[in-house]
């Protein structure tokens, strides 16, 4: 279940976090923003607006770069 909520990202001034849970890519956003999800294979898996709150993206297992505005984070989805 994805009930962790947005409370866990208060210390991240960027207002978002991304992680893997149950084989899915989870992106938690403090506000809506255009988000890019890129595989290390160079493929774009998502590019568009994500809503505030918890967004669950179904992507194949692999290493991804999640980018919002001027910051990116790597996430390994197993």
């Amino acid at each position: 279940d994805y009930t962790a909520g947005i409370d866990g990202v208060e210390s991240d001034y960027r207002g978002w976090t991304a992680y893997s849970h149950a084989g899915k890519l989870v992106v938690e956003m403090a506000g809506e923003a255009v988000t890019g999800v890129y595989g290390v294979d160079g493929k774009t898996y998502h590019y568009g607006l994500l809503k505030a709150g918890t967004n669950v993206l179904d992507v194949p297992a692999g290493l991804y770069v999640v980018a919002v505005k001027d910051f990116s984070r790597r996430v390994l989805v197993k």
Side-chain angles (χ1 to χ4, degrees), residues 38-43 45 62-65:
Y38 310 98
V40 293
D41 58 2
K43 190 173 170 185
Y45 286 86
L63 182 61
Y64 295 89
V65 174

Side-chain angles (χ1 to χ4, degrees), residues 25 35-48 50 56-66 75 77:
L25 176 62
T35 304
V37 177
Y38 310 98
V40 293
D41 58 2
K43 190 173 170 185
T44 300
Y45 286 86
H46 172 83
Y47 184 82
L50 289 183
V56 180
L57 303 174
D58 191 14
V59 295
L63 182 61
Y64 295 89
V65 174
V66 180
V75 179
V77 176

Side-chain angles (χ1 to χ4, degrees), residues 11-61:
S11 64
D12 185 351
Y13 74 92
R14 290 174 182 87
W16 67 275
T17 190
Y19 56 90
S20 175
H21 177 75
K24 310 275 186 197
L25 176 62
V26 181
V27 184
E28 292 187 2
M29 310 283 289
E32 66 179 30
V34 174
T35 304
V37 177
Y38 310 98
V40 293
D41 58 2
K43 190 173 170 185
T44 300
Y45 286 86
H46 172 83
Y47 184 82
L49 194 63
L50 289 183
K51 63 179 175 54
T54 301
N55 299 272
V56 180
L57 303 174
D58 191 14
V59 295

